[in-house]
Amino acid sequence: MSEEKSLNFIEEIVEEDLRNGKYEKILTRFPPEPNGFLHIGHAKSICLNFGLAQKYNGATNLRFDDTNPSTEETEYVDSIKEDLKWLGFNWINEFYASDYFDQLYQFAVKLIQKGLAYVDDSSSDKIALEKGTPTEVGKENEFRNRSIEENISLFEQMKNGAFKDGEKVLRAKIDMLSINMLMRDPIIYRIKHAHHHRTGDKWCIYPMYDFAHGQSDSIEKITHSICTLEFIPHRSLYDWFIEHLEIFPSKQYEFARLNMTYTVMSKRKLLQLVNEGHVSGWDDPRMPTISGLRRKGYTPSSIRTFCDKIGVAKRDNLIDISLLEFCIKDELNATASRLMAVLNPLKLIIDNYEENRTEELITENLPNDPENTRTVTFSKELWIEQEDFMEVPVKKWFRLAPGMMVRLKSAYIVKCESFKKDESGNVTEIHCSYIPESKSGNDTSGIKVKGTIHWLNAKDAQKAEVRLYNRLFKVENPAMEEGDFKDFINPDSLQIIKRAYIEPNLPNAKAGAHFQFIRNGYFCIDRDSKPGAIVFNRTVSLKDSFKVGEK
Ligand code: ATP
Ligand code: MG
């Protein structure tokens, strides 16, 4: 039986175009606007565009869609390139829509010369009013029939800075009666006296999205221009400009954007979270940005796997964030070195173990790989999780409680003999006896216990800070709730444990390194770590709703 995945609808179109010789080679593009950092939604578009080119031996351009001078910054350009490379994609060319400003200006002149564009002096309110509504047709105004010469001259004056912002616009002359509102003489150039991150002060008129995007595609000879569903109504305009400018016939195709539960996905909203201090920055591990996911411990391959699993749909949907979590868990399960870490320490003292004795025990780094091991030290005083002891055990409790036995992972079976409490009733230490014949790997005790818990040698455990992240929002779809989406931020999205313990001598302990804290979750080393003050981020817990020590 064939294992081949069925084609998605865009692959079907591409295969058809290649089969009938419409194109010899396909060329796609990824066109971010440099007004924010890339998020997981962009990753879907990236995997689709670059993935198609890889699969069909084509190529992909990176094009910065930088036609709006007021929101764009070089910092964003740099972060976008870094994230793309990290995700594992290489572009053929790096282009900027702003590099086409001269060409786009000439395109506009060409439309004017063909009698297909005019300068309108109306206010934006009047233009909006005359546009009509979806149920009411638009109205032509007195500027629509200006002569070609007058339009050429006015447009040139617009370019030369003769007018203030908003005083005039250039509109395509299409059809004020069209059912599609976007075809009712759309604005194609506006005046904006603003500094641009690349062209500086050269221009004071800027093309609108619809007059830049398709034309840029065409200039680059993009064969398949893939965008999200909200651009369906723009497609007629996309085709109209290409037809009347008589330029390379790029074609637009639309797919469903990625929406994911418990987060927001628009750059405008993410920018608010950053600017208003709800998160520490664009790369806060709670953010759905690529840089946030990277810092949280996601790998490029886990993100690509996720994008592959969600597929390419024609209808909008909401993807459960646990699918993304599944992808990283599944990968790290096979690759992340196991480690014992105690997040909420409780002292365990083995009364019958010699005071100054230390044993070196062998424990495995990865399950199913018995050769891959490390040494951990064991002695009289240990740290265990507070959650692994119960003074009055509940039913089916297989961990420590007075009189109960457990196995200490890779070590011995111990029995809880007594415990101490402070004045407020908190358990401060527990006392156990150990069974010398029960050593892991050489257990002759004949005793069977149901629970195994992890532990650390109190003598050499090293302190660490552990940052536990939870969902950033309390509700599944904050953008769809009434009112401000920020009212739904989860107040417990970050819990910082300042005094956790981990094993000493971590292998390869540099920022980004991944570990499984056994029985707990996957963690990675944060870049805030300093020598002697290591910081971990929780990538994902082993359980969906995380409780330390749960079996
Ligand atoms: P946002 O609404 O987050 O600002 P955008 O569409 O304005 O997103 P762009 O920088 O213009 O952001 O997007 C670059 C490319 O990524 C576009 O082709 C866009 O269709 C695609 N894209 C953006 N968001 C998503 C998403 N959630 N799912 C899939 N593709 C997306
Ligand atoms: Mg956009």
Side-chain angles (χ1 to χ4, degrees):
M1 232 174 64
S2 158
E3 291 262 325
E4 247 174 63
K5 258 178 80 174
S6 59
L7 299 180
N8 66 49
F9 76 97
I10 296 182
E11 290 170 332
E12 279 173 9
I13 292 166
V14 168
E15 291 204 358
E16 170 77 24
D17 287 348
L18 290 171
R19 206 168 28 242
N20 66 25
K22 187 168 173 188
Y23 306 112
E24 257 173 42
K25 216 174 136 151
I26 65 159
L27 183 59
T28 60
R29 88 287 173 262
F30 175 63
E33 186 179 346
N35 62 349
F37 281 54
L38 295 181
H39 52 58
I40 182 79
H42 292 115
K44 176 171 175 181
S45 167
I46 291 165
C47 290
L48 177 58
N49 280 298
F50 284 87
L52 281 171
Q54 280 170 357
K55 180 164 179 183
Y56 296 105
N57 197 23
T60 306
N61 285 345
L62 168 60
R63 182 199 316 138
F64 290 100
D65 205 340
D66 59 349
T67 53
N68 184 358
S70 42
T71 54
E72 294 156 4
E73 286 172 32
T74 318
E75 178 204 356
Y76 297 135
V77 169
D78 296 340
S79 78
I80 289 169
K81 290 199 280 187
E82 185 189 343
D83 289 350
L84 266 170
K85 281 190 211 144
W86 180 79
L87 278 172
F89 295 107
N90 299 306
W91 49 94
I92 287 289
N93 296 297
E94 177 181 326
F95 290 134
Y96 292 80
S98 56
D99 288 345
Y100 308 138
F101 281 167
D102 282 303
Q103 174 74 78
L104 294 172
Y105 180 81
Q106 292 310 324
F107 283 157
V109 171
K110 181 168 179 180
L111 281 187
I112 298 175
Q113 279 165 344
K114 288 180 110 181
L116 294 174
Y118 61 99
V119 173
D120 192 332
D121 303 358
S122 315
S123 67
S124 56
D125 287 348
K126 184 161 173 280
I127 291 177
L129 203 69
E130 286 171 355
K131 244 192 170 168
T133 65
T135 53
E136 200 185 321
V137 294
K139 222 171 52 212
E140 298 181 2
N141 71 20
E142 68 269 32
F143 302 108
R144 199 173 196 266
N145 294 314
R146 274 185 158 142
S147 70
I148 291 175
E149 292 68 36
E150 192 185 359
N151 280 317
I152 295 274
S153 152
L154 284 171
F155 188 49
E156 199 174 343
Q157 290 175 53
M158 277 169 67
K159 178 179 93 145
N160 293 337
F163 309 112
K164 291 204 276 294
D165 288 10
E167 254 180 37
K168 288 188 171 25
V169 290
L170 183 70
R171 299 174 70 176
K173 192 171 179 176
I174 306 182
D175 181 6
M176 290 305 284
L177 308 180
S178 174
I179 324 168
N180 182 347
M181 299 260 302
L182 290 171
M183 298 296 274
R184 295 181 192 168
D185 293 8
I187 295 172
I188 58 179
Y189 261 94
R190 67 197 154 148
I191 301 170
K192 204 163 190 177
H193 292 270
H195 189 82
H196 186 278
H197 78 125
R198 280 173 68 88
T199 57
D201 297 316
K202 179 177 175 196
W203 295 90
C204 64
I205 56 172
Y206 290 95
M208 302 298 285
Y209 171 87
D210 285 314
F211 199 70
H213 201 92
Q215 285 77 341
S216 304
D217 285 342
S218 181
I219 291 168
E220 295 173 18
K221 298 198 164 52
I222 300 297
T223 57
H224 299 81
S225 172
I226 301 162
C227 59
T228 44
L229 292 180
E230 62 284 14
F231 288 96
I232 290 178
H234 295 250
R235 196 195 317 133
S236 322
L237 200 49
Y238 185 103
D239 293 339
W240 191 92
F241 286 132
I242 283 180
E243 182 193 337
H244 291 91
L245 290 169
E246 302 160 72
I247 53 180
F248 182 85
S250 297
K251 284 278 169 204
Q252 175 184 304
Y253 301 94
E254 308 87 10
F255 73 106
R257 65 190 296 123
L258 168 66
N259 298 303
M260 205 165 64
T261 55
Y262 299 102
T263 191
V264 290
M265 205 77 93
S266 102
K267 279 182 282 186
R268 196 175 47 80
K269 291 197 173 75
L270 296 174
L271 183 64
Q272 280 183 57
L273 294 176
V274 173
N275 284 346
E276 296 173 22
H278 299 287
V279 293
S280 63
W282 283 98
D283 73 344
D284 186 301
R286 291 166 292 179
M287 291 282 270
T289 50
I290 303 301
S291 49
L293 291 168
R294 172 167 64 229
R295 193 167 172 196
K296 199 175 181 190
Y298 277 76
T299 58
S301 48
S302 66
I303 294 175
R304 292 194 306 259
T305 304
F306 170 74
C307 292
D308 193 43
K309 276 192 194 297
I310 56 180
V312 182
K314 270 196 220 181
R315 208 176 293 166
D316 275 321
N317 54 7
L318 184 65
I319 301 288
D320 194 328
I321 197 168
S322 51
L323 181 61
L324 180 63
E325 294 168 348
F326 167 81
C327 292
I328 186 66
K329 259 192 256 189
D330 198 44
E331 182 178 319
L332 292 179
N333 180 39
T335 58
S337 253
R338 271 52 174 173
L339 205 66
M340 296 208 264
V342 172
L343 269 46
N344 298 297
L346 172 63
K347 191 56 88 55
L348 182 153
I349 298 165
I350 306 174
D351 293 328
N352 61 339
Y353 197 88
E354 296 82 339
E355 194 76 45
N356 293 317
R357 183 174 168 204
T358 299
E359 274 181 273
E360 298 208 327
L361 305 174
I362 303 295
T363 189
E364 69 277 11
N365 287 328
L366 286 172
N368 313 322
D369 188 359
E371 305 289 298
N372 185 353
T373 59
R374 67 180 186 284
T375 307
V376 286
T377 66
F378 185 87
S379 61
K380 187 178 179 76
E381 291 198 11
L382 309 175
W383 292 119
I384 62 161
E385 293 287 356
Q386 286 169 19
E387 289 81 352
D388 282 336
F389 174 78
M390 269 192 115
E391 189 180 339
V392 184
V394 292
K395 258 193 206 159
K396 297 207 172 157
W397 178 257
F398 300 123
R399 290 174 267 161
L400 282 171
M404 283 186 70
M405 289 200 211
V406 289
R407 172 168 294 284
L408 298 174
K409 164 91 182 149
S410 302
Y412 296 95
I413 293 174
V414 293
K415 179 178 179 190
C416 176
E417 304 289 355
S418 64
F419 60 92
K420 285 194 186 144
K421 278 185 179 180
D422 62 14
E423 290 132 26
S424 13
N426 301 313
V427 176
T428 52
E429 62 182 49
I430 60 174
H431 287 259
C432 292
S433 57
Y434 87 112
I435 319 278
E437 306 78 49
S438 66
K439 189 167 172 175
S440 288
N442 186 22
D443 183 357
T444 55
S445 70
I447 300 171
K448 293 267 168 287
V449 291
K450 283 200 169 138
T452 299
I453 65 171
H454 61 276
W455 52 273
L456 289 168
N457 181 358
K459 246 192 264 175
D460 64 12
Q462 78 172 299
K463 259 200 209 153
E465 176 177 319
V466 177
R467 299 175 183 170
L468 303 177
Y469 302 99
N470 290 308
R471 293 177 172 164
L472 188 51
F473 288 91
K474 292 183 286 190
V475 294
E476 275 206 340
N477 201 349
M480 297 297 279
E481 296 284 340
E482 261 183 47
D484 188 346
F485 75 100
K486 284 171 290 166
D487 293 343
F488 301 93
I489 292 178
N490 175 9
D492 302 317
S493 61
L494 170 60
Q495 184 196 348
I496 299 179
I497 298 182
K498 286 275 179 198
R499 205 194 68 145
Y501 287 105
I502 56 165
E503 291 176 30
N505 315 320
L506 293 192
N508 188 28
K510 55 179 203 291
H514 305 278
F515 299 93
Q516 186 199 86
F517 290 1
I518 59 170
R519 300 174 65 227
N520 186 332
Y522 293 99
F523 290 78
C524 75
I525 297 184
D526 189 72
R527 61 167 159 79
D528 283 349
S529 300
K530 299 197 177 60
I534 199 161
V535 178
F536 284 93
N537 294 323
R538 181 169 72 200
T539 309
V540 63
S541 59
L542 286 172
K543 288 263 179 167
D544 273 348
S545 58
F546 174 72
K547 278 198 198 103
V548 177
E550 203 170 65
K551 282 227 36 153

